[in-house]
Amino acid sequence: MRADYTIKDDGALSEEQRLDHHWTENWKKIGNRRRSQWRIKVRPEYKVVRKFAPPAGRDVRVLDGGSGLGEWCILLRDLGYEPYGLDLSTPTIESLRSEFPAMNFVREDIRATSFEDNFFDLYISWGTFEHFENGLTDCFKEAYRVLKPGGTLIISVPFYNQRLKEIDAKQGKPEKSGDNEFYQWRLEPHELSEDFKINGFDCKHVEPIYTREGIGRHLHHKYGIPYGNFTRFTSMALNPFANPNKFAHMLIGVAVKT
């Protein structure tokens, strides 16, 4: 695994408070605007969910761990599931509860929730498990606890790809200092697969996703090209020819509770 760091915000904040603050500010930057449902349906996560998720039903419970603005919960509800959204951003959850009083949104830590054992049929989580400095194990253990036997876990995590390995071979891996703080872990495919297995899951599928976004990052960081239309269209043109193992930004994995 590879650790990523960010500029230190407020050293007096606990890890939970820091994450609450980070994601609250992140949603503010985009005006707390949810993506339209069609945009979710063209994302690679949707393709994987549709392939591996259990059939929909009002009694089929789904937990979205790190639900953000609630986009996936709304989609899952419309698909016929019973969704539950969990997030650390206090203002976001309060806003969702006000806007969707009939839906289930809770402000809790993904590592220690109040849900009963064996409660969910499906658990999804996009870019959340990796944000705890002591590793992903606590997230996996809690996911195992709340999923029913045979329940499905689908998560995405940042990918420690070949491009980053080449950079680290020249410059060394990022290190923690007095001016920065931990932000996230990046995993290789075999590491994600192994994490599933050691935490009681049968790994069914792991693949790199978001190659186009990774190309954009490469153009920006290596050549100094600003993010914008040029980067976006160039990334789209190069995407069909690019190696996902070198450029993909994220990994997605699917496992079943044994």
Side-chain angles (χ1 to χ4, degrees):
M1 294 199 302
R2 177 205 203 240
D4 288 344
Y5 298 95
T6 187
I7 299 299
K8 185 175 290 185
D9 187 9
D10 184 346
L13 297 177
S14 68
E15 184 177 57
E16 181 176 324
Q17 291 170 331
R18 177 175 56 80
L19 289 169
D20 183 334
H21 174 75
H22 171 82
W23 290 109
T24 299
E25 292 302 309
N26 186 71
W27 304 135
K28 284 182 181 178
K29 289 178 183 177
I30 61 172
N32 289 309
R33 294 191 302 272
R34 281 187 290 270
R35 289 164 294 185
S36 61
Q37 297 294 288
W38 74 264
R39 288 186 179 275
I40 301 179
K41 290 181 178 180
V42 299
R43 296 170 74 89
E45 296 96 332
Y46 181 77
K47 178 181 178 181
V48 172
V49 168
R50 294 302 281 169
K51 181 177 181 180
F52 290 99
R58 288 298 174 186
D59 58 345
V60 180
R61 301 190 188 109
V62 184
L63 177 61
D64 181 1
S67 54
L69 301 177
E71 299 158 324
W72 272 88
C73 285
I74 296 166
L75 175 61
L76 290 164
R77 178 200 63 184
D78 294 345
L79 290 173
Y81 292 96
E82 183 182 345
Y84 291 70
L86 178 151
D87 203 272
L88 269 179
S89 173
T90 305
T92 302
I93 290 297
E94 290 176 350
S95 177
L96 285 166
R97 285 174 174 169
S98 175
E99 187 175 359
F100 302 101
M103 295 182 68
N104 303 296
F105 289 103
V106 296
R107 193 279 179 194
E108 291 186 348
D109 189 324
I110 197 173
R111 298 168 295 179
T113 75
S114 61
F115 298 111
E116 299 174 5
D117 293 356
N118 308 315
F119 189 73
F120 292 103
D121 302 274
L122 172 65
Y123 185 144
I124 64 171
S125 184
W126 312 137
T128 304
F129 278 38
E130 70 274 8
H131 284 294
F132 303 98
E133 193 166 6
N134 69 337
L136 288 70
T137 299
D138 292 341
C139 296
F140 277 110
K141 286 183 177 179
E142 183 66 0
Y144 187 89
R145 184 186 71 79
V146 301
L147 273 169
K148 297 177 181 178
T152 301
L153 174 64
I154 308 177
I155 68 170
S156 68
V157 296
F159 183 18
Y160 187 28
N161 59 30
Q162 189 60 42
R163 179 182 72 87
L164 291 172
K165 289 180 183 178
E166 292 172 0
I167 293 173
D168 290 347
K170 295 178 181 179
Q171 302 178 1
K173 287 186 178 181
E175 296 183 356
K176 191 172 184 178
S177 71
D179 297 325
N180 63 26
E181 61 187 2
F182 174 80
Y183 177 60
Q184 66 180 10
W185 293 105
R186 291 184 175 274
L187 282 73
E188 299 181 56
H190 74 274
E191 292 174 325
L192 178 56
S193 177
E194 185 64 21
D195 271 348
F196 280 131
K197 293 175 183 177
I198 64 178
N199 287 288
F201 292 91
D202 179 13
C203 182
K204 298 296 186 182
H205 180 75
V206 174
E207 69 169 298
I209 57 174
Y210 291 117
T211 301
R212 179 173 64 83
E213 287 75 6
I215 296 171
R217 288 167 179 251
H218 175 67
L219 294 172
H220 177 72
H221 292 291
K222 185 174 179 62
Y223 301 107
I225 301 174
Y227 291 120
N229 288 335
F230 179 82
T231 304
R232 182 165 57 254
F233 291 126
T234 302
S235 300
M236 290 174 63
L238 294 174
N239 185 49
F241 312 102
N243 179 0
N245 289 311
K246 182 169 184 176
F247 293 106
H249 175 50
M250 302 288 288
L251 292 173
I252 191 166
V254 183
V256 173
K257 177 178 174 178
T258 57

